[in-house]
């Protein structure tokens, strides 16, 4: 037991019999990690202590910048489009991650989205508590650690999530402090998603509309998550987000200037350094599955930071919590005698349910491998 900590903190107890009640006590505060920090916590509670990772950080001097792809002109100029398509192909095969510039979402919308996330998490706790839930079917879900009861160590972050597309959320279901910007961002990111799915289809030598037309428009489902990473008093002992890959087709991520996002590349952690005005795009597990391993869904994590809060906004394309019966598996056009299917067919909902049940950090794709 650590002495002198303020009220509301979670006691340091390693006994697993007590772990459940500790988790429950933390959950019941409905105040998340921000609540601990606001309460003045100076040592991280045992629930958040993370095992050391076996992979080293890449040295800062190595040339390890994920590709930045400029989308300027892709809609108008066929030569530019061809160049972008081949850069996307290369980035998807080798990195699984890239950043996009001139993606069509105005800088003011990106800035306001980050502000909206800050406003949500920094509003009066009593207002915030009203939308605290673990029921993913609610139109707006705020909580800390969606996998609280299944993960081995908690993440130093709080999150909200909701469905942005195919239908926009009802305004009255969204918190007032970020309602307008969520709707505006949703419209913008839906358009960007369409462009990206076209470019990805072309990079697989498929018809532009292939991925969009496939699976009854499943790629137009967008689930979003606004993340808030409060400053952490002992960042080396905690983790912002456990290493994982995404249960989406594609993820479009907006991050602020703080940094901490890293991807696992050739067994080393590489920083995805914030570049103002860009968005991070990464391949999700479902795109790896349907491309039969051609495109890589790469593991990534977020370090806890001393200087936050850090905010980020992830849009998971092709991800929905609603059940759907549509099965999909490796794309037939990409298969041959030399390249037989590597995965079983599944539904997006089954995949996401498995992902959520296992908790962050458990490799999910392997479960569907033939
Ligand atoms: C995610 C994710 C990274 C970040 O939400 O899946 O990886 O920077 N987020 O918050
Ligand atoms: Ni992720």
């Amino acid at each position: 037991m650590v002495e002198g900590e303020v009220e509301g903190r979670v006691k340091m107890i390693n006994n697993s019999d007590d772990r459940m009640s500790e988790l429950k006590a933390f959950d019941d505060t409905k105040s998340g990690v921000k609540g601990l920090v606001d309460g003045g916590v100076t040592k991280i509670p045992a629930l958040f202590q993370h095992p050391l990772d076996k992979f080293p950080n890449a040295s800062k001097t190595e040339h390890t910048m994920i590709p930045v792809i400029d989308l300027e002109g892709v809609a108008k100029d066929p030569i530019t489009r061809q160049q972008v398509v081949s850069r996307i192909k290369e980035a998807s095969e080798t990195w699984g991650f890239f950043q996009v510039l001139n993606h069509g979402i105005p800088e003011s919308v990106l800035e306001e989205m980050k502000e909206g996330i800050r406003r949500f998490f920094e509003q009066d706790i009593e207002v915030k508590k009203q939308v605290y839930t673990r029921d993913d079917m609610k139109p707006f879900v705020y909580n800390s650690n969606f996998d609280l009861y299944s993960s081995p160590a908690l993440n130093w972050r709080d999150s909200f999530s909701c469905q942005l597309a195919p239908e926009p959320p009802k305004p009255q279901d969204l918190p007032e402090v970020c309602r307008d910007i969520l709707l505006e961002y949703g419209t913008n990111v839906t358009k960007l998603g369409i462009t990206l799915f076209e470019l990805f289809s072309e990079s697989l030598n498929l018809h532009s509309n292939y991925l969009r037309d496939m699976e009854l428009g499943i790629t137009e489902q967008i689930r979003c998550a606004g993340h808030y990473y409060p400053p952490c008093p002992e960042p080396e002992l905690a983790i912002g987000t456990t290493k994982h890959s995404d249960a989406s087709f594609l993820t479009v991520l907006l991050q602020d200037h703080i940094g901490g996002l890293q991807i696992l590349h050739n067994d080393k952690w590489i920083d995805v350094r914030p570049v103002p005005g860009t968005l991070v795009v990464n391949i999700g597990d479902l795109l790896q599955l349907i491309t039969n391993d051609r495109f890589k869904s790469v593991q990534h994590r977020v370090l806890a930071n001393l200087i936050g809060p850090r905010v980020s906004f992830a849009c998971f394309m092709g991800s929905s919590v609603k059940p759907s019966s549509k099965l999909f598996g490796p794309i037939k056009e990409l298969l041959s005698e030399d390249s037989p299917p590597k995965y079983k067919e599944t539904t997006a909902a089954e995949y996401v349910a498995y992902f959520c049940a296992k908790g962050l950090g458990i490799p999910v794709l392997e479960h569907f491998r033939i």
Side-chain angles (χ1 to χ4, degrees):
M1 291 274 292
V2 176
E3 285 176 9
E5 281 183 19
V6 294
E7 239 179 32
R9 73 190 162 73
V10 178
K11 284 178 289 180
M12 295 181 80
I13 293 178
N14 285 316
N15 182 339
S16 62
D17 287 346
D18 293 321
R19 188 179 154 82
M20 200 50 159
S21 56
E22 293 301 311
L23 289 169
K24 181 94 177 55
F26 172 69
D27 205 12
D28 286 347
T29 68
K30 302 188 177 187
S31 312
V33 176
K34 183 169 190 303
L36 298 177
V37 173
D38 290 346
V41 74
T42 54
K43 295 229 176 294
I44 65 159
L47 289 176
F48 292 85
Q49 283 179 16
H50 226 260
L52 284 175
D53 188 86
K54 63 176 193 258
F55 300 107
N57 282 335
S59 119
K60 301 271 180 218
T61 55
E62 278 175 62
H63 183 70
T64 50
M65 180 88 177
I66 68 164
V68 178
I69 302 180
D70 189 342
L71 298 185
E72 181 77 53
V74 283
K76 295 192 196 97
D77 178 15
I79 296 174
T80 305
R81 191 173 181 98
Q82 202 41 55
Q83 284 164 350
V84 166
V85 164
S86 66
R87 293 207 64 203
I88 288 183
K89 178 172 186 282
E90 198 191 330
S92 305
E93 287 170 351
T94 53
W95 292 89
F97 264 78
F98 54 92
Q99 315 214 44
V100 285
L101 258 178
N102 293 312
H103 39 67
I105 306 189
E107 186 110 25
S108 57
V109 173
L110 304 183
E111 289 308 310
E112 176 58 11
M113 190 65 248
K114 289 183 274 183
E115 281 308 314
I117 296 170
R118 266 181 224 118
R119 280 197 301 274
F120 174 79
F121 286 100
E122 291 172 4
Q123 71 187 319
D124 191 295
I125 181 61
E126 293 309 320
V127 179
K128 216 164 62 166
K129 275 183 185 176
Q130 291 167 14
V131 283
Y132 190 94
T133 177
R134 296 203 171 272
D135 178 359
D136 282 336
M137 295 301 157
K138 290 262 171 68
F140 186 89
V141 176
Y142 148 63
N143 62 40
S144 183
N145 288 266
F146 75 90
D147 55 353
L148 188 82
Y149 295 104
S150 55
S151 80
L154 300 190
N155 289 177
W156 201 260
R157 73 167 181 183
D158 300 329
S159 307
F160 67 71
S161 65
C162 66
Q163 198 73 27
L164 282 186
E167 285 90 41
K170 293 194 192 76
Q172 67 270 25
D173 287 337
L174 301 175
E176 222 176 307
V177 287
C178 54
R179 177 181 293 162
D180 294 349
I181 189 60
L182 275 171
L183 294 168
E184 191 175 2
Y185 196 94
T187 314
N188 277 277
V189 83
T190 301
K191 277 194 222 144
L192 174 60
I194 290 170
T195 303
L196 288 172
F197 276 114
E198 286 176 3
L199 296 170
F200 273 97
S201 302
E202 291 169 40
S203 71
L204 290 163
N205 276 327
L206 300 167
H207 185 272
S208 274
N209 286 339
Y210 191 98
L211 293 172
R212 283 181 63 202
D213 289 348
M214 190 188 75
E215 324 305 350
L216 304 170
I218 186 106
T219 51
E220 269 135 61
Q221 311 259 13
I222 304 176
R223 181 109 193 134
C224 72
H227 301 303
Y228 186 90
Y229 300 83
C232 180
E234 297 179 298
E236 62 296 337
L237 298 182
I239 189 88
T241 305
T242 307
K243 78 167 173 224
H244 68 283
S245 54
D246 293 348
S248 56
F249 281 87
L250 278 184
T251 304
V252 175
L253 180 88
L254 167 68
Q255 63 165 338
D256 72 6
H257 58 286
I258 301 274
L261 174 62
Q262 297 185 317
I263 69 167
L264 194 57
H265 182 71
N266 295 338
D267 290 344
K268 280 186 190 156
W269 287 109
I270 292 184
D271 294 324
V272 179
R273 277 176 241 150
V275 179
T278 62
L279 290 165
V280 177
V281 175
N282 65 281
I283 312 294
D285 291 354
L286 297 173
L287 194 53
Q288 176 167 342
L289 187 150
I290 63 168
T291 63
N292 213 32
D293 283 348
R294 243 190 245 196
F295 288 175
K296 302 280 181 286
S297 173
V298 164
Q299 294 210 311
H300 51 285
R301 67 176 184 181
V302 181
L303 301 178
N305 71 80
L306 203 54
I307 54 170
R310 171 184 187 268
V311 297
S312 68
F313 191 65
C315 288
F316 303 107
M317 309 289 188
S319 186
S320 169
V321 290
K322 276 204 211 128
S324 68
S325 57
K326 180 72 191 169
L327 282 169
F328 55 86
I331 292 172
K332 301 286 179 288
E333 285 84 341
L334 304 180
L335 302 176
S336 65
E337 236 167 76
D338 295 340
S339 156
K342 294 180 178 166
Y343 296 100
K344 295 181 259 200
E345 292 192 317
T346 177
T347 64
E350 181 190 13
Y351 199 91
V352 172
Y354 189 82
F355 177 92
C356 290
K358 289 290 165 188
L360 271 190
I362 307 296
V364 180
L365 205 45
E366 290 314 308
H367 178 73
F368 294 87
R369 199 178 279 278
I370 292 173

